[in-house]
Amino acid sequence: MFEKLLMSRWSIWIAALLGMLLTLPAMNMGLMGDDYLHWSLLTGLAHNPQPGSPFGLFTFADGNPVHNQLLMDSGKLVWWASDTLRIAFWRPLAEWSQWLDYQIWPHSPLFMHLHNLALYGVMIVLVGKLFLALDSDRRQASFATLLFAGNMLHVFAVAWLASRNQMLCGIWLTLTLLAYHRWRSGASMVYGVLAALCLALGLFSAEAAVQTTGYLFAYALFMEPGQPLWRRLAALLPFAVIVLTWKATHGHLGYGSLGSPGYVDPTSNIGGFLTSLMLRLPALMLAQWYGVSSLMFEQLSRSTQIIYAASGAVALLLLALAMQGLGVFRSRLARFYGLGSILALAPACAGYPFDRLTINADIGASGLLSMALLTLWPQRKQLRGWAMGSVKYLLLFIGVVHVLLFPLGKVGSSIAMKPINTSGEAAGPLALPQAQGDEHFMLLNPPSGEAIYYFPVTRQFHGMRNPATIDALGPNNQAMTLSRPDTQSLRVNVPEGFKGTITRDVRRQPFKVGDTARMGNIEVTVEAITPERLPQTVRYRFPDDIQSAHWRFFAWRDDGVHAVDMPPVGQSLEIPAYDIGKVVMYYASKKS
């Protein structure tokens, strides 16, 4: 039965339908994070003009100190961010795609999600066409398409509206490879031109289209036997020119990342990128191959990250040795899939790890895994002994993960998307009360200080009144001590420091005792730092008595958000750490 499915001419269409059906339950999740910012921009409630960008949907901080200070004054950007923080992405085609949604069905997030789902289906079909074009064994190509379609790690990329650029990028990447393969297999030069055009369109959809070059380089190395290497590499020169021209224009227009430990631009911080590559690549590949999520990797200490990455590299090396022992890499196609997948994943290490970032690299990984499993299965009974038995059981384990657990996990995570999203919002921006008059909400320990960026637009979308500002006084759910030096001052001590993943790279811009910042008319002074050069003790100087009615202080506990009265002058107040999961469950139980 399964063999018949793999040999069917409808196999890739069935795989696409399966991939879409497994993801379908997530299509009711509504808006999330960046989606609210996009809603405000595309409905005309806000404006963010950027050069070369129709709506500025993906510019969060443009690196201009004056503009960043305005964000800090409004509370959208925490004061411990870099004053030159730049997180700006140039994705005009993705922006036009989302603008189209707001023209056709502006009040229906469901149809916007179905738009994402349709693009995902198109991507799966094209990926299947690519496998069929590259592989003369239809069984391997069809099985690779099914593995790709059943991949659990794709759910968030499809379900999150703001991540549509990943599907667009994946479509153009696959079309580039299809056209390039046709051209290099002897078809007209027209296909070479089409490949170049598709690469350019991919770059205008998302920076991730740079991943295409990894596959093209691997193709030149392994997929053109009989031609001298210089001729194979020479064919890549037009594509290199396209990428370099795009990157130069990208930088000239002010796009890229700067000043953040989470987003590391290789052109402005090569050392930081190489460090991120060594740490994040194993984490992403562990998620890709073993199903071990990379979600919390960036929250680990640097020493723990090093241990995690080293352990992951060992696990991945064992998997590569198992495939080598089985003889998989004797195939040029397998070597193309393997190297292409790794090279395609490398650019994703410029951003902090998300499992969804593997989607384009999963093309090569799915092709390679299909070849490995279909090579293994017929000879599984003959593989005995310590060495070959280890090869068999390791690959069978990986097969169980991808063939059984990933599709089941894809359904489960799709079903969970909406309750997780709504509970998270209920525990965050929507947990705060309606604002009354000219109030200022001071958040002592929000689940994430950086997420305050989205609080005003999220509340606005849900019809809630916003205060004049919403400011984070503490970084997250850590324990802290508050004390009152005088009527207008509040001292906050966070023993573990004011940490952040996208706010300020303290390795390049460390904090010092005496550093000052400003949040509107509130003055901030760093009084002590941690050994990692993070702020530890901070003094906030308010323009008037902090017990005035317009200053409202809130703290999170396991049972939700509570208003907090400031301690009298000369006294202190302990704010305990809390479990974010318990807070989310508390609000989930209230909603049910």
Side-chain angles (χ1 to χ4, degrees):
M1 177 70 177
F2 187 60
E3 182 85 12
K4 186 176 180 180
L5 170 63
L6 295 183
M7 294 303 294
S8 169
R9 63 193 180 99
W10 301 105
S11 59
I12 64 172
W13 297 94
I14 293 171
L17 179 61
L18 176 65
M20 294 171 71
L21 287 175
L22 293 176
T23 318
L24 185 62
M27 295 303 101
N28 68 340
M29 70 169 286
L31 306 188
M32 177 182 183
D34 294 355
D35 297 337
Y36 289 106
L37 175 64
H38 297 173
W39 163 77
S40 68
L41 292 168
L42 292 171
T43 56
L45 297 174
H47 300 280
N48 189 22
Q50 298 296 324
S53 176
F55 307 103
L57 299 190
F58 298 98
T59 296
F60 305 97
D62 63 7
N64 186 316
V66 175
H67 296 167
N68 284 348
Q69 183 59 57
L70 291 173
L71 290 174
M72 292 180 191
D73 291 343
S74 70
K76 292 181 69 176
L77 189 61
V78 293
W79 66 263
W80 57 93
S82 169
D83 58 351
T84 57
L85 178 68
R86 179 192 299 159
I87 301 176
F89 306 117
W90 191 28
R91 301 168 179 173
L93 286 184
E95 292 186 62
W96 283 116
S97 170
Q98 295 189 253
W99 170 84
L100 185 63
D101 282 343
Y102 282 89
Q103 302 307 302
I104 301 175
W105 33 65
H107 307 296
S108 178
L110 174 61
F111 281 100
M112 299 180 189
H113 284 290
L114 291 175
H115 185 176
N116 271 24
L117 187 64
L119 290 172
Y120 184 51
V122 170
M123 182 178 177
I124 295 172
V125 169
L126 290 174
V127 167
K129 295 284 188 184
L130 177 64
F131 288 142
L132 288 172
L134 294 172
D135 197 342
S136 58
D137 186 336
R138 189 178 187 94
R139 293 178 315 128
Q140 288 183 164
S142 298
F143 189 35
T145 311
L146 285 168
L147 290 171
F148 183 84
N151 196 311
M152 178 181 71
L153 306 186
H154 301 173
V155 170
F156 195 74
V158 182
W160 190 26
L161 293 177
S163 188
R164 179 179 297 168
N165 61 87
Q166 286 193 273
M167 259 81 68
L168 292 171
C169 173
I171 287 170
W172 293 119
L173 180 153
T174 311
L175 286 171
T176 302
L177 296 179
L178 276 166
Y180 190 84
H181 175 64
R182 290 290 300 274
W183 174 43
R184 301 305 293 168
S185 298
S188 165
M189 173 66 78
V190 171
Y191 286 99
V193 175
L194 284 174
L197 176 61
C198 289
L199 174 60
L201 292 172
L203 291 168
F204 284 122
S205 299
E207 287 79 358
V210 171
Q211 294 174 309
T212 312
T213 60
Y215 284 113
L216 292 175
F217 181 72
Y219 189 100
L221 288 183
F222 300 122
M223 297 297 288
E224 298 185 76
Q227 291 206 43
L229 181 60
W230 70 266
R231 190 184 296 275
R232 289 178 265 158
L233 295 178
L236 299 179
L237 286 178
F239 299 88
V241 170
I242 289 171
V243 172
L244 292 174
T245 302
W246 165 82
K247 182 56 182 173
T249 308
H250 183 275
H252 177 73
L253 294 175
Y255 293 94
S257 55
L258 181 69
S260 162
Y263 291 102
V264 185
D265 192 326
T267 58
S268 62
N269 185 5
I270 184 63
F273 174 72
L274 292 176
T275 300
S276 296
L277 182 67
M278 289 186 290
L279 294 175
R280 292 170 175 173
L281 184 60
L284 287 170
M285 291 185 68
L286 273 180
Q288 181 181 51
W289 286 98
Y290 286 85
V292 181
S293 178
S294 64
L295 184 62
M296 298 305 297
F297 181 79
E298 207 66 19
Q299 306 304 319
L300 303 175
S301 67
R302 178 49 63 93
S303 59
T304 306
Q305 286 181 351
I306 293 172
I307 295 171
Y308 187 101
S311 303
V314 171
L316 293 163
L317 179 60
L318 289 174
L319 180 58
L321 289 174
M323 291 187 184
Q324 175 67 21
L326 199 61
V328 174
F329 288 119
R330 284 198 290 267
S331 165
R332 290 179 175 272
L333 181 60
R335 281 176 272 165
F336 161 72
Y337 283 146
L339 181 61
S341 176
I342 295 171
L343 294 179
L345 197 54
C349 297
Y352 53 94
F354 276 129
D355 296 344
R356 63 181 174 86
L357 298 178
T358 66
I359 189 168
N360 291 330
D362 286 336
I363 298 172
S366 298
L368 178 58
L369 182 59
S370 172
M371 297 181 72
L373 293 179
L374 290 180
T375 300
L376 169 71
W377 192 250
Q379 51 182 312
R380 65 192 184 280
K381 294 180 180 179
Q382 287 76 46
L383 297 177
R384 297 189 179 93
W386 181 87
M388 296 312 296
S390 299
V391 167
K392 175 174 70 174
Y393 288 114
L394 177 56
L395 288 174
L396 284 176
F397 169 75
I398 298 295
V400 169
V401 169
H402 286 260
V403 176
L404 295 178
L405 300 184
F406 266 19
L408 291 174
K410 193 167 190 175
V411 175
S413 55
S414 295
I415 293 172
M417 287 298 293
K418 182 177 177 63
I420 290 174
N421 184 36
T422 55
S423 299
E425 289 177 351
L430 306 185
L432 299 170
Q434 296 277 15
Q436 305 294 330
D438 187 24
E439 295 179 325
H440 299 265
F441 286 3
M442 302 285 115
L443 312 187
L444 296 166
N445 59 348
S448 168
E450 297 163 358
I452 303 300
Y453 191 98
Y454 303 105
F455 274 35
V457 285
T458 303
R459 288 166 57 86
Q460 185 181 12
F461 179 87
H462 288 282
M464 297 186 71
R465 290 190 301 275
N466 280 315
T469 60
I470 303 177
D471 292 285
L473 299 186
N476 48 36
N477 59 325
Q478 301 172 62
M480 60 184 64
T481 302
L482 311 180
S483 56
R484 285 279 303 283
D486 56 58
T487 59
Q488 293 179 235
S489 297
L490 179 67
R491 179 175 287 119
V492 178
N493 177 266
V494 182
E496 295 185 25
F498 286 66
K499 298 179 181 178
T501 56
I502 62 172
T503 49
R504 181 163 168 174
D505 186 352
V506 294
R507 293 181 180 84
R508 305 191 84 191
Q509 192 181 2
F511 283 95
K512 304 182 298 297
V513 172
D515 280 351
T516 60
R518 179 167 51 85
M519 302 187 307
N521 51 11
I522 301 173
E523 298 174 358
V524 185
T525 304
V526 176
E527 295 186 335
I529 59 174
T530 68
E532 294 79 22
R533 298 173 293 184
L534 297 164
Q536 184 178 63
T537 303
V538 175
R539 181 167 177 159
Y540 296 96
R541 176 76 177 176
F542 289 74
D544 57 6
D545 193 325
I546 64 175
Q547 292 183 321
S548 300
H550 51 263
W551 304 112
R552 300 189 63 188
F553 296 84
F554 298 92
W556 273 255
R557 297 201 295 255
D558 286 348
D559 60 348
V561 175
H562 299 266
V564 177
D565 293 326
M566 291 296 97
V569 174
Q571 296 188 25
S572 62
L573 173 68
E574 297 294 329
I575 303 292
Y578 62 91
D579 187 327
I580 294 176
K582 289 182 179 179
V583 177
V584 171
M585 292 303 296
Y586 170 78
Y587 282 99
S589 64
K590 286 186 66 174
K591 288 181 71 67
S592 60

